[in-house]
Amino acid sequence: MCGIVGVFEHGRSRGGVTPDLVIRMRETLHHRGPDGEGLFVTEDGRLGFGHRRLSIVDLEAGAQPMFDAAGACLVFNGEIYNYPALRRELEADGVRFRTHCDTEVILHLYRRYGERCVDHMTGMFAFALWDPDRDEVFFARDPIGEKPLYWADRDGTFLFGSEIKAILEHPLAPRAVNEDAIGPYLANLVTPGPETLYRGINKLAPGHAGRCGRDGVRTWRYWSAAEPRAFADVGDEAVDRVRELLDKSIHDRLMSDVPVGVLLSGGMDSSTVVALLREQARGLASFTVGFPGYEDVDERREARWVAERFGTDHHEVTLSETDALGMLGPLIHHQDEPLADPVCIPLHAVCRLARENGIKVVLAGEGADELFWGYHGYHGALERWRLHRAALAAPRVLRRLAAAVTSPRTAPLRREQLEGFARGRLKPIHCPVGMTRHQRASLLLSGDEDVGWGPTAGIDGEDPLTTLGFDTQEYEFQVRLPELLLMRIDRFSMANSVEARVPFLDPALVDYVYRLPLSSKIRDGVTKWALKEAVADVVPPEVSQRRKQGFGAPTSRWFLGRHGSLLRDLMGQDTLRRYFDIPYLDSLLAGANPDSWEAGQILWPVLNFGLWHKHWIEGEPLDEIVERASADPHGAAPALA
């Protein structure tokens, strides 16, 4: 795993790229690769690549930037799990290798297949390759979006990096707010691609590639799970196929020359990873995080049970509100743009625990709920589908009336859902995952109704349940999963110089399960039916039958204390006042319910935005403002006038 940066002055015949500039950009990513560094700048000063390395495979070789015999230059972040098979195929055709690492395979694949090289790779990756023959930079991001790649093109200069902070080191990258993206950020808890919350800085979407040459930047999609938009005609043989694909994916992700651990919550997904390792699980390092006093988000007991059952070498860390406040500065720094999910807090802590115990690679269960339909919302939608179908069949005037008489202030989620019924196309489940349209319109001074994403056109005559199913999966796999869930684990594993791997998101497994009929995902009230059946011989019923418990942090209760004080401090400053309706925000904070969803869905995103603005836009340190909240012995301050 690595951090990559680059500058390409494609609009000039003589450039001004210097080693010092590339090094300055590169060193912002030291945490992503503390084991080695690399630099390349062309003689004409038009191109510079930088690389930081976290050594996982072929520890002695594999330095980057890496070159082929024709002078092509590559910087690469990620792992290509099928590289041994690719290497054998290439060697059989006469290709000679100088190293034993996966990086060199990409160079040879590019020489053979050009931009279609990405079709042959299974793994997580983001890379950029300078082709001197074409005088172009080719770049790509993996199909699911496990690894990030950000870019900007300003005044004939192409900039890219694994994190936005690297791009911001270049003088052509202004620290300006993309105000059009604030509303979509509040709706999704992250800015949907291809935009970011910085004006002029983009994120490459999952399954996309691009080229930069004399004519500028062009990007395109090379892979999508969403096509074709049709469920597969399969029976219970899906269970055996799921087991086969998942077994292969987990064991492929053990590829490493350093020890591997697992992030273990004790839930179905992480326990499945441990169980499928079988005898290899004994002695495997496992890590979990807990919140003493908050039983609804503390999974230590369940994780201990699984660790004892499979014999892992188990480690725990606990967090308090004071601990969480102390993490806010590092959280905002490593996020670059807000990832307004409280899970970032325990992720940071548990990845730090892994690194403290000498583990550089961890397996995690991300993606299983999205792929196999494990969330309560999925089950609830299918359970009530007869009522939903009847409502969709009602005259449109009645559907519109039902939406109009539902208060967006007292029942915002219901109003959003009823508006979907009025349109005749339901909102995808979890969309918006953050604030509803009416909440955003009330909070934002500019007003905003754009969620920043829309489903593809449905097929004529498509059943409404099929439409809801595919719309939901598109939203999950195009926005929520790659840009929020996968970016939070990328940021906070790499912040601690740890590589995280997610076996549930192998492209072959995703491609197969994505189109399984909904009856294979939820059956007789059982969520993740195909997965649970596939691993029933190794995952005990104490795990598979346990009620799902979300991974999170007790932010709702924290806003009654010092987190509320911190937010009120920001509400008194122009940092928030220039964008948000403060009286509306104040009313939400004053009425915060420790058992409600509003803190996580509204207050936490606003707090993250305010701290991000302070740190990244205004350039102010966060220590003083966080310390004021930490020192407040009474918790939240009185309501603002």
Side-chain angles (χ1 to χ4, degrees):
M1 193 62 63
C2 307
I4 63 174
V5 300
V7 183
F8 180 38
E9 296 186 350
H10 59 88
R12 302 182 183 182
S13 56
R14 295 290 299 178
V17 180
T18 66
D20 286 346
L21 171 62
V22 179
I23 290 171
R24 191 166 69 247
M25 296 171 67
R26 183 193 70 190
E27 291 309 295
T28 64
L29 306 180
H30 186 277
H31 53 281
R32 297 186 74 95
D35 298 335
E37 62 189 44
L39 174 71
F40 171 67
V41 177
T42 56
E43 290 185 6
D44 62 7
R46 294 178 58 239
L47 178 134
F49 279 0
H51 184 264
R52 292 288 333 184
R53 187 184 186 201
L54 180 66
S55 300
I56 302 294
V57 176
D58 195 2
L59 305 184
E60 299 301 322
Q64 298 183 43
M66 185 176 285
F67 301 84
D68 70 6
C73 177
L74 173 70
V75 283
F76 159 58
N77 169 31
E79 303 288 352
I80 307 301
Y81 301 121
N82 66 332
Y83 92 91
L86 293 172
R87 179 187 176 112
R88 289 192 294 271
E89 292 174 10
L90 291 165
E91 286 179 327
D93 288 341
V95 174
R96 298 178 64 87
F97 283 80
R98 295 174 288 110
T99 72
H100 295 282
C101 68
D102 50 356
T103 307
E104 188 177 2
V105 168
I106 300 175
L107 282 165
H108 291 300
L109 287 175
Y110 179 78
R111 281 299 169 198
R112 175 153 300 192
Y113 301 110
E115 62 191 34
R116 304 309 307 184
C117 64
V118 291
D119 297 336
H120 300 263
M121 298 187 289
T122 298
M124 54 180 182
F125 56 81
F127 67 83
L129 186 152
W130 177 56
D131 184 340
D133 295 334
R134 300 180 58 152
D135 193 26
E136 290 183 343
V137 171
F138 172 66
F139 53 99
R141 185 180 179 193
D142 66 74
I144 309 300
E146 293 181 57
K147 292 294 104 185
L149 189 66
Y150 299 92
W151 64 274
D153 187 34
R154 298 183 63 86
D155 300 333
T157 298
F158 176 65
L159 312 169
F160 70 85
S162 296
E163 297 180 12
I164 295 172
K165 60 175 61 70
I167 294 174
L168 293 175
E169 286 298 311
H170 195 284
L172 287 177
R175 301 186 180 214
V177 178
N178 178 5
E179 296 195 26
D180 291 339
I182 299 176
Y185 156 70
L186 295 174
N188 300 285
L189 308 184
V190 69
T191 310
E195 295 187 78
T196 70
L197 211 45
Y198 297 86
R199 188 186 309 146
I201 298 180
N202 309 288
K203 60 184 76 173
L204 188 65
H208 278 64
R211 282 193 180 275
C212 175
R214 291 288 184 182
D215 296 329
V217 179
R218 176 177 64 92
T219 63
W220 64 88
R221 186 175 68 187
Y222 68 84
W223 187 91
S224 172
E227 296 176 355
R229 191 180 166 99
F231 290 122
D233 182 16
V234 299
D236 289 350
E237 69 270 14
V239 169
D240 292 335
R241 183 60 174 155
V242 165
R243 175 61 174 269
E244 176 189 348
L245 290 169
L246 185 55
D247 246 332
K248 183 178 186 305
S249 177
I250 288 174
H251 286 84
D252 281 351
R253 281 155 182 77
L254 294 178
M255 179 187 77
S256 174
D257 294 330
V258 297
V260 177
V262 62
L263 303 185
L264 179 63
S265 70
M268 180 67 196
D269 308 331
S270 59
S271 299
T272 293
V273 173
V274 172
L276 287 178
L277 290 172
R278 300 176 184 83
E279 65 276 1
Q280 291 169 284
R282 187 158 298 278
L284 180 80
S286 59
F287 306 94
T288 193
V289 61
F291 297 92
Y294 301 102
E295 297 300 322
D296 56 328
V297 291
D298 194 332
E299 295 187 314
R300 286 177 295 160
R301 182 180 63 182
E302 291 79 7
R304 286 176 201 150
W305 190 91
V306 174
E308 291 173 5
R309 175 68 177 259
F310 293 99
T312 68
D313 177 21
H314 195 56
H315 307 266
E316 296 178 354
V317 61
T318 59
L319 294 175
S320 66
E321 182 184 6
T322 300
D323 296 328
L325 275 172
M327 285 186 178
L328 283 178
L331 247 65
I332 298 303
H333 176 76
H334 285 292
Q335 286 175 358
D336 285 355
E337 64 169 344
L339 300 172
D341 190 331
V343 169
C344 293
I345 295 171
L347 265 179
H348 191 18
V350 78
C351 290
R352 182 172 60 192
L353 179 65
R355 185 64 186 194
E356 289 171 351
N357 283 273
I359 299 298
K360 294 170 70 172
V361 177
V362 294
L363 305 181
E366 263 76 2
D369 283 316
E370 291 74 21
L371 192 56
F372 289 95
W373 282 50
Y375 291 112
H376 299 311
Y378 296 159
H379 175 259
L382 294 185
E383 192 175 49
R384 296 186 295 271
W385 185 249
R386 286 186 179 179
L387 293 175
H388 290 172
R389 187 184 294 277
L392 286 168
R396 176 167 292 188
V397 64
L398 294 181
R399 287 182 271 136
R400 288 177 173 173
L401 179 61
V405 299
T406 301
S407 169
R409 178 173 286 271
T410 60
L413 292 177
R414 183 175 295 277
R415 173 63 178 263
E416 193 101 342
Q417 183 184 48
L418 288 173
E419 288 175 347
F421 280 104
R423 290 190 301 270
R425 186 169 185 169
L426 301 188
K427 279 272 191 180
I429 303 167
H430 290 156
C431 181
V433 69
M435 296 176 61
T436 68
R437 179 171 65 89
H438 295 281
Q439 288 168 327
R440 299 194 307 274
S442 297
L443 179 61
L444 282 168
L445 295 179
S446 61
D448 188 275
E449 298 187 0
D450 181 16
V451 76
W453 173 88
T456 59
I459 299 171
D460 288 343
E462 189 173 73
D463 178 80
L465 180 56
T466 299
T467 298
L468 177 63
F470 278 115
D471 286 356
T472 294
Q473 292 184 171
E474 283 184 21
Y475 177 71
E476 298 284 31
F477 278 83
Q478 292 176 10
V479 178
R480 183 174 168 272
L481 181 63
E483 305 305 351
L484 182 64
L485 276 61
L486 292 180
M487 287 306 95
R488 74 189 186 191
I489 196 169
D490 172 81
R491 285 297 185 277
F492 296 107
S493 62
M494 296 309 297
N496 294 284
S497 304
V498 171
E499 174 177 299
R501 300 175 178 177
V502 285
F504 284 104
L505 294 178
D506 182 272
L509 180 63
V510 170
D511 197 46
Y512 182 75
V513 177
Y514 192 97
R515 264 168 289 281
L516 286 181
L518 298 184
S519 60
S520 292
K521 297 175 181 179
I522 299 180
R523 182 176 297 187
D524 298 327
V526 177
T527 58
K528 293 195 277 198
W529 179 84
L531 173 61
K532 291 176 180 178
E533 288 293 308
V535 298
D537 62 319
V538 292
V539 175
E542 291 89 342
V543 173
S544 61
Q545 295 176 14
R546 181 164 70 90
R547 179 175 172 80
K548 180 174 177 58
Q549 180 175 331
F551 184 38
T555 50
S556 296
R557 276 150 285 183
W558 288 348
F559 274 106
L560 300 178
R562 290 182 170 87
H563 281 72
S565 178
L566 176 57
L567 180 55
R568 289 189 184 279
D569 191 344
L570 291 169
M571 287 161 59
Q573 303 178 42
D574 194 45
T575 298
L576 293 183
R577 288 182 175 274
R578 75 176 71 173
Y579 304 106
F580 302 122
D581 184 303
I582 298 301
Y584 175 75
L585 186 59
D586 186 49
S587 69
L588 294 175
L589 184 55
N593 183 335
D595 298 317
S596 78
W597 61 276
E598 285 187 335
Q601 308 300 100
I602 300 179
L603 301 180
W604 186 257
V606 173
L607 176 62
N608 269 253
F609 178 91
L611 293 173
W612 165 78
H613 199 285
K614 276 287 183 188
H615 181 65
W616 285 110
I617 302 300
E618 300 174 47
E620 295 187 16
L622 296 179
D623 295 347
E624 182 179 340
I625 187 171
V626 173
E627 285 174 6
R628 282 201 301 270
S630 300
D632 180 0
H634 305 295
L640 295 177

